Amino acid sequence: MSPDTLADLSEDELLDLAGDRAEEARRAETDLLHLAYQWAVVNHPDRRREKQIPGAERATSYGGVGSPEVAEFAAASLGARIGRTTWAARALMADALDLHHRLPLLWSRVQAGEVRASYARHVATKTRDLTPAEAICVDGRVAESADGRLP
């Protein structure tokens, strides 16, 4: 969209367009979280054929305790494809795994479009070092208010 095109829009049209783009960005962020989770599932170490070959990639934990292991190079492949660093892709996958396996209430609200993926990712990151039981407790306490109503 060019600046010239925007200059011809009314105030209401500008706000409508901004709202549309913001909603598209929120949906894309959630879709990317879903894709990162599925990429982790596809790259579970048990699904790799080269397990016994010397020098083959190993299983590693991206998420917290209770989330499944992932083949160690999975984040590099994902990061390259989505234009992010390996570290950023690994963080995305870790958050997706933790949401799915350790924070199921919050994950369901993300899937329903009720909570922004970025809010849920913040909780996933902050709870990564907790035990699974502690993470479930946090999940029960924050899932309802994680939609941005509370600061």
Side-chain angles (χ1 to χ4, degrees):
M1 178 153 290
S2 73
D4 293 335
T5 306
L6 295 177
D8 295 334
L9 297 178
S10 71
E11 290 178 5
D12 285 339
E13 290 170 327
L14 282 170
L15 289 175
D16 288 345
L17 187 57
D20 290 346
R21 293 302 182 267
E23 182 57 33
E24 288 172 14
R26 282 190 290 275
R27 280 196 307 267
E29 183 182 29
T30 299
D31 289 349
L32 194 55
L33 197 58
H34 285 283
L35 289 164
Y37 175 76
Q38 190 59 39
W39 185 247
V41 169
V42 168
N43 283 277
H44 188 278
D46 289 346
R47 296 185 71 174
R48 309 298 285 192
R49 287 178 287 164
E50 320 77 35
K51 288 187 277 191
Q52 302 303 322
I53 298 172
E57 61 184 326
R58 298 169 291 184
T60 187
S61 293
Y62 281 16
V65 174
S67 65
E69 291 183 318
V70 180
E72 69 179 320
F73 302 141
S77 300
L78 180 63
R81 184 56 62 100
I82 65 174
R84 296 188 185 176
T85 65
T86 299
W87 184 88
R90 182 183 174 113
L92 180 66
M93 292 171 67
D95 293 345
L97 287 164
D98 282 352
L99 284 163
H100 186 82
H101 293 279
R102 294 167 43 94
L103 302 163
L105 297 175
L106 192 53
W107 178 244
S108 67
R109 294 206 63 212
V110 169
Q111 291 177 304
E114 299 168 350
V115 172
R116 289 179 185 229
S118 59
Y119 295 174
R121 289 190 66 195
H122 178 75
V123 175
T125 300
K126 294 295 184 181
T127 59
R128 181 127 324 120
D129 294 330
L130 299 179
T131 67
E134 291 168 333
I136 288 290
C137 181
V138 170
D139 188 38
R141 292 182 178 237
V142 303
E144 185 60 34
S145 61
D147 56 10
R149 287 179 286 155
L150 299 175

